[in-house]
Amino acid sequence: MKQIFAFFCLAFAFTACNNAETKTAETTTEAAAAADVNLPYTLTEPYKDWAIGSKENVAAAMAGLKAFVDKDFTALAAATGDSIQLDFDYYQAKLSRDSAMKFFADARNMYNDLVVTMGDYVSVISADKKTEWVTLWYKQSWKDAKGVADSMNVVNDIRMENGKMVQLDEKVSHYQKK
């Protein structure tokens, strides 16, 4: 009986080792095949081999968004670097923290009853650990000065350095009027 049990243990160990080698070989083959794919567009910068970034930077980026919604510009300033590059539709500027807070305060005054419904998020970091971005996907709803309700989908790409927002690239999608 002991010999049969030992045989099954040895067979199981051999199978487990063989499966691990097969999976590693398959993963390596898939990665090599993906690298050899001809893409119809070339990149201006080389691919940075992104990996999942830190939840701390997600929390910092979300805290900045929540501070904007809550009109807490002291908290928003604390979440922002010494300067921030803003990239919006029809507006691009690099602003000092103080100038950015004035910009955000003016922008926030356009909305009453602003509500953000978070859809998803991800943080990615380059292989060399020099570049980290947080992406937030959410629905933004509000009322204008006349009380008319509106909403849009928003995607924020936020570059983080030392736990602070240093670049905000925002893309929006307005809903079709009915």
Side-chain angles (χ1 to χ4, degrees):
M1 185 69 167
K2 287 181 184 177
Q3 290 175 336
I4 294 173
F5 180 71
F7 174 75
F8 281 120
C9 287
L10 183 61
F12 177 76
F14 177 75
T15 304
C17 291
N18 195 18
N19 284 347
E21 289 173 11
T22 303
K23 286 181 182 176
T24 303
E26 287 173 4
T27 304
T28 305
T29 304
E30 289 172 9
D36 294 336
V37 172
N38 259 343
L39 301 174
Y41 296 98
T42 59
L43 300 175
T44 56
E45 293 182 32
Y47 179 70
K48 296 187 180 204
D49 198 20
W50 298 99
I52 296 300
S54 73
K55 288 262 177 128
E56 290 80 10
N57 277 338
V58 171
M62 282 187 182
L65 176 60
K66 182 158 178 24
F68 176 79
V69 170
D70 294 344
K71 296 184 182 181
D72 185 352
F73 298 105
T74 302
L76 182 55
T80 304
D82 292 337
S83 65
I84 186 166
Q85 173 68 42
L86 300 176
D87 295 304
F88 296 104
D89 198 21
Y90 298 112
Y91 181 80
Q92 294 78 35
K94 185 169 186 171
L95 302 176
S96 69
R97 180 185 301 124
D98 292 339
S99 295
M101 292 311 107
K102 180 174 179 352
F103 172 85
F104 287 129
D106 291 345
R108 179 60 180 87
N109 285 333
M110 297 184 327
Y111 303 107
N112 294 322
D113 303 324
L114 182 62
V115 175
V116 165
T117 305
M118 192 60 56
D120 207 352
Y121 61 85
V122 68
S123 175
V124 294
I125 189 165
S126 60
D128 62 7
K129 308 290 186 223
K130 292 182 180 177
T131 308
E132 186 163 358
W133 289 86
V134 172
T135 299
L136 305 175
W137 293 269
Y138 57 93
K139 179 180 179 181
Q140 182 173 301
S141 305
W142 68 92
K143 290 182 182 170
D144 66 13
K146 295 178 181 177
V148 177
D150 203 353
S151 60
M152 64 184 169
N153 286 320
V154 181
V155 176
N156 289 143
D157 289 318
I158 306 161
R159 189 166 55 88
M160 305 294 292
E161 284 183 6
N162 301 316
K164 306 283 185 183
M165 299 183 299
V166 296
Q167 186 172 354
L168 170 59
D169 185 354
E170 183 171 280
K171 296 148 195 84
V172 299
S173 175
H174 295 272
Y175 293 103
Q176 182 177 346
K177 300 288 182 191
K178 294 181 181 181

